[in-house]
Amino acid sequence: MVDETSASVNPARYVAGLARAAQRAGACLHDHTRVEKIEAESHNGARKFRLRTSRGTTTAREVILASGAYTTEATPALRRKIIPIGSYIIATEVLPAELARELSPRNRMIYDSKHFLYYYRLSPDNRMLFGGRAAFFPETEKTVRQSAEILPRGMITVYPQLRDTKVEYVWGGTLDFTLDVMPHAGKIDDMYFAAGFAGHGVAAATWFGTKLAGLVCGETDSLPFTGIPFPAAPIGLRSGHTWALPLAGLWYRILDFFT
Ligand SMILES: Cc1cc2nc3c(=O)[nH]c(=O)nc-3n(C[C@H](O)[C@H](O)[C@H](O)COP(=O)(O)OP(=O)(O)OC[C@H]3O[C@@H](n4cnc5c(N)ncnc54)[C@H](O)[C@@H]3O)c2cc1C
């Protein structure tokens, strides 16, 4: 199936561009600052949040939780709803132009239809970027190292021509799945949140962010997601307690085998 309107971005440049746009609009950004505790308090009848961070304490009238798969114990109610799943990518050496054209003649963004899927594309400098759920666990040095061994094998099943091609980079990140594999948004413990992008958040998280910012600024609720129940993740799949993830991985491999 071909989606003629699909396109690609460099996500690191995109997020840097979003940060610059926010700063131009007057936002103050504090990177490398971990929120460690959030407490609601009341001042002369008005509710406020006190946020203890790794670099000091601040107060806020409204809070948006946009912490995705990396949600911590600072917001336990949201954390227990997130299933963190690792996703990994390898990048090959720069390919000869002719080989690159043979692999992806129209330079499309490609993915397959499995649960344990592969997704791949050429980079602007003609490397093959090949990604997938090499390990279900969130990324660590170990799972990234394992992915450097697992993903080339997957890549060669799709493109045997790349058997002797060197892999020069590997990296990974963690995706925020939910039990119903749907994004959710609204309020939790009186704070706005959007989560559950399950590996599709580059465009979606930005859209949800715009909507939540509108709600904070007093716009009427135009988010069709706020009324949808947000189920908790089963114990064993939750952040910090992901011992059952290999079982989930096995289940999806079985589904892939039969479909
Ligand atoms: C390998 C890989 C490939 C992907 N491919 C695609 C793709 O092709 N298309 C697509 O649409 N999406 C893709 N995604 C998913 C996409 O990256 C995410 O959906 C998107 O980044 C979600 O954005 P977000 O802002 O909600 O959360 P994130 O980008 O996960 O950001 C959450 C941030 O919150 C911070 N945070 C968490 N807790 C705290 C705290 N207590 N204090 C301070 N900060 C905190 C974290 O440090 C992090 O920076 C991919 C992801 C990976 C890992």
Side-chain angles (χ1 to χ4, degrees), residues 159-190:
Y159 292 123
Q161 307 93 309
L162 296 180
R163 182 164 290 111
D164 299 321
T165 303
K166 267 203 295 217
V167 169
E168 292 192 340
Y169 299 95
V170 55
W171 67 93
T174 306
L175 312 175
D176 49 339
F177 274 72
T178 57
L179 190 60
D180 57 5
V181 203
M182 286 288 292
H184 291 271
K187 274 192 159 181
I188 202 162
D189 288 344
D190 264 351

Side-chain angles (χ1 to χ4, degrees), residues 212-231:
L212 292 181
L215 294 181
V216 167
C217 295
E219 280 174 18
T220 47
D221 188 349
S222 60
L223 251 182
F225 290 81
T226 49
I228 301 174
F230 189 176

Side-chain angles (χ1 to χ4, degrees), residues 33-35 66-67 70 72 87 89 119 173-175 197 199-202 205:
T33 308
R34 178 165 286 266
V35 176
S67 43
Y70 297 93
T72 68
S87 200
I89 299 185
Y119 50 92
T174 306
L175 312 175
F197 301 115
H200 300 277
V202 170

